[in-house]
Amino acid sequence: MSLQNVGRATRSEYEGPALAPEGRLGKGLLQDEPLIFERGRFDMTGVDFDLEGETLDESDLAGLTRASPPALPGLSEPETVRHYVRLSQRNHAIDLALYPLGSCTMKHNPRLNERMARLAGFADLHPLQPISTVQGALQVMDELAHWLKTLTGMPAVALSPKAGAHGELCGLLAIRAALVARGDARTTVLTPSSAHGTNPATAALAGYQVQEIAQTADGRVDLGDLAAKLGPHVAAIMVTNPNTCGLFERDILEIARLTHAAGAFFYGDGANFNALVGRVRPADLGVDAMHINLHKTFSTPHGGGGPGAGPVVLSAELAPFAPTPFVVHGPNGLELVEETHGEAAQTLGRLCAFHGQMGMYVRALAYMMSHGADGLRQVAEDAVLNANYIKARLSGVMSAPFAEGPCMHEALFDETWLEGTGVTTLDFAKAMIDAGFHPMTMYFPLVVKGAMLIEPTETESRRELDRFCDALLELAAAAKAGDVDRFKSAPRHAPLARLDETQAARKPRLKWTPAET
Ligand SMILES: *Cc1c(COP(=O)(O)O)cnc(C)c1O
């Protein structure tokens, strides 16, 4: 069989429209972009291999030879590039403008990090290379681990989890393993009512029942409720500090003390570490395990579902259960421990195929080293300062549920100030798009009605913060003045208007089905 026949389908072999209906092509310069399957043609390819005379020995494929060609769309190279560039332009990005999503820490991704990650010695590595040829990469991992342990005050770190939520899973599985090893399997994990959705989801995935801890009127963990719910059945509590209302948990030491006295572990959700980095070490707050989202605090890109990293720092008690593989110093340099044996064999095993995301490790370490310890402390201070600047500028008009005192790294508003205007948080957020700004996080945390959670991060200038606040104040004045239509019909200038978010979440269409021809 000729290789050329393997890769191509023809129109007659695959039913589907060869080209998108012309009517869908651009208005102005905004392209309404069809799927690549709709744009491509199945009878052509963008690449030509000269395979004349080449034959494929079918026995090499162990019976896996294709019977029919795959239905892959064919486009020329410029058509392919333009398709993806047009798609990319329909996304908001931190490189386009301020991205005020609360809880997400959408800070600038320094170009220095990108330069470092693209060095051939990192970018071209293969995870199965002989260890002697990847000593530099292992050194980066070791150095990154050192920074993470130093900044958190924790003795161990598992680097391989690929996101915050994956780190939560790693942490809870380590806690479960430690309890089982103690002969004290427990059933329940406690999470505050303001917790990020991944916390209860992780606890459920790790096999625990989830019980909610109530919140006080000033937005913190209710100590009385925590004490009442702790008991010999509780494996762990999961607490974010500063919490998702942007408030420092003032009673954090007491929370840790009560938890440990009940024989439970304290899982810290480190997503908001940007407010504390260089200022507070989570170990000093009593944390036993905490994930760190490198794409939040340490400026690596929040890839569009792409590779990420959510390392988990662990206490000495939890460290033996850390997943493989991990880096150790051996007699011949750095080594990657793939399996553990004998006494040490308490590891969880693998959480992913290899060691984790090298590109993110390099970027995060470049960020840490370029800032230094003092620079990282200033990151936290400036992030908090910027959020308080926004809180101060908007508080006269927009209502803050926890108005008293300063906030940490994010400013939280609610919907109370919109009462009687006919405008909701959703309408307001959509109108922000028309004003040229990406909306803030909406309706989260769930404990605040119509929540608007704004996190500017430290990487915005005062001028940009003022532009943002001016735009919000202008919108607020319009809402108060009764210009409801402007809000209900927003966004008018986005390529797509209001999507059916419920259907999108419940019935996502993940597969392209060719139209009947
Ligand atoms: C972002 C976030 C998470 C989850 O992290 P991912 O990296 O998105 O998986 C967990 N908790 C809080 C509070 C967060 O903001």
Side-chain angles (χ1 to χ4, degrees):
M1 176 194 265
S2 147
L3 261 184
Q4 269 169 317
N5 289 334
V6 177
R8 297 184 188 178
T10 63
R11 287 278 292 135
S12 59
E13 286 167 314
Y14 193 84
E15 293 297 315
L19 285 171
E22 285 309 310
R24 291 185 60 180
L25 288 174
K27 282 188 243 35
L29 284 176
L30 259 185
Q31 305 291 339
D32 186 4
E33 189 63 13
L35 298 177
I36 197 163
F37 287 92
E38 297 170 299
R39 190 171 278 295
R41 292 172 47 170
F42 298 106
D43 59 352
M44 64 173 280
T45 169
V47 198
D48 284 316
F49 294 112
D50 185 7
L51 297 175
E52 216 49 56
E54 296 272 336
T55 53
L56 188 67
D57 182 353
E58 293 199 20
S59 62
D60 287 349
L61 293 175
L64 295 174
T65 320
R66 262 189 177 284
S68 60
L72 294 176
L75 291 90
S76 70
E77 184 169 318
E79 284 173 326
T80 308
V81 170
R82 286 173 189 161
H83 171 72
Y84 287 107
V85 169
R86 281 194 291 255
L87 283 184
S88 75
Q89 288 175 340
R90 298 185 59 175
N91 259 334
H92 189 68
I94 190 63
D95 291 345
L96 280 174
L98 181 144
Y99 210 153
L101 281 180
S103 216
C104 298
T105 314
M106 307 299 288
K107 62 169 75 175
H108 170 64
N109 313 134
R111 289 307 178 267
L112 175 70
N113 302 355
E114 300 303 320
R115 275 289 286 281
M116 296 301 112
R118 281 164 178 71
L119 291 174
F122 297 127
D124 297 344
L125 288 177
H126 191 281
L128 296 178
Q129 261 175 254
I131 281 297
S132 63
T133 67
V134 293
Q135 286 294 307
L138 296 185
Q139 208 178 325
V140 163
M141 292 172 67
D142 193 49
E143 187 87 0
L144 175 69
H146 173 72
W147 277 83
L148 292 173
K149 288 186 289 187
T150 306
L151 289 168
T152 57
M154 303 287 283
V157 60
L159 291 179
S160 70
K162 304 219 178 188
H166 202 202
E168 290 174 31
L169 183 64
C170 176
L172 280 206
L173 291 180
I175 288 169
R176 193 175 72 176
L179 286 167
V180 168
R182 241 194 229 174
D184 185 20
R186 296 176 172 217
T187 56
T188 305
V189 166
L190 304 181
T191 61
S193 49
S194 64
H196 191 265
T198 51
N199 293 180
T202 297
L205 195 62
Y208 290 109
Q209 282 152 28
V210 182
Q211 221 184 340
E212 205 168 275
I213 316 166
Q215 177 168 300
T216 58
D218 70 349
R220 271 86 171 181
V221 167
D222 184 328
L223 280 185
D225 195 52
L226 172 66
K229 285 180 178 154
L230 279 167
H233 61 297
V234 174
I237 62 162
M238 299 178 86
V239 173
T240 313
N241 192 23
N243 66 26
T244 62
C245 297
L247 302 170
F248 190 79
E249 292 285 354
R250 288 183 295 247
D251 296 320
I252 195 73
L253 294 175
E254 184 61 5
I255 291 171
R257 194 190 65 76
L258 288 169
T259 301
H260 292 145
F265 287 93
F266 179 1
Y267 184 88
D269 179 328
N272 291 343
F273 194 41
N274 205 48
L276 305 180
V277 62
R279 289 288 305 238
V280 175
R281 301 188 314 163
D284 299 334
L285 305 180
V287 161
D288 298 301
M290 183 181 96
H291 72 260
I292 300 158
N293 315 59
L294 296 188
H295 48 284
K296 294 182 181 173
T297 307
F298 296 108
S299 84
T300 70
H302 293 235
V312 190
V313 287
L314 298 166
S315 65
E317 190 180 354
L318 295 175
F321 305 97
T324 50
F326 51 83
V327 177
V328 292
H329 291 258
N332 304 315
L334 293 164
E335 290 168 14
L336 205 54
V337 176
E338 304 270 356
E339 284 171 38
T340 56
H341 303 281
E343 285 225 336
Q346 286 177 298
T347 169
L348 291 174
R350 284 173 191 271
L351 282 178
C352 56
F354 296 110
H355 53 276
Q357 298 299 352
M358 197 65 216
M360 295 302 147
Y361 301 158
V362 174
R363 286 176 177 88
L365 184 60
Y367 180 79
M368 292 164 170
M369 294 179 77
S370 58
H371 279 71
D374 291 344
L376 289 175
R377 184 178 320 119
Q378 198 185 338
V379 161
E381 289 168 354
D382 289 352
V384 172
L385 178 65
N386 279 1
N388 277 286
Y389 185 74
I390 287 181
K391 185 177 181 194
R393 276 214 60 194
L394 301 182
S395 281
V397 178
M398 294 165 61
S399 49
F402 309 109
E404 209 175 296
C407 57
M408 292 295 284
H409 63 310
E410 41 198 6
L412 177 60
F413 299 94
D414 64 17
E415 213 173 32
T416 317
W417 67 280
L418 284 169
E419 254 164 40
T421 61
V423 175
T424 64
T425 287
L426 181 70
D427 301 329
F428 190 78
K430 295 294 181 190
M432 284 173 66
I433 298 173
D434 285 337
F437 285 99
H438 193 283
M440 67 289 270
T441 289
M442 303 177 280
Y443 299 103
F444 175 81
L446 304 177
V447 286
V448 170
K449 188 164 176 293
M452 305 183 194
L453 186 63
I454 302 174
E455 181 178 5
T457 84
E458 71 286 357
T459 60
E460 296 303 330
S461 64
R462 174 160 174 199
R463 184 165 64 173
E464 192 59 18
L465 296 180
D466 277 331
R467 261 181 19 89
F468 177 73
C469 291
D470 290 345
L472 262 61
L473 291 172
E474 194 276 322
L475 282 172
K480 294 272 191 192
D483 191 358
V484 184
D485 189 50
R486 171 168 173 191
F487 292 89
K488 291 293 174 196
S489 60
R492 298 178 205 201
H493 305 304
L496 295 173
R498 296 203 187 198
L499 308 179
D500 186 336
E501 290 166 19
T502 311
Q503 288 296 309
R506 297 196 174 209
K507 291 192 183 159
R509 281 173 56 197
L510 302 175
K511 177 170 151 258
W512 176 70
T513 313
E516 298 293 329
T517 44

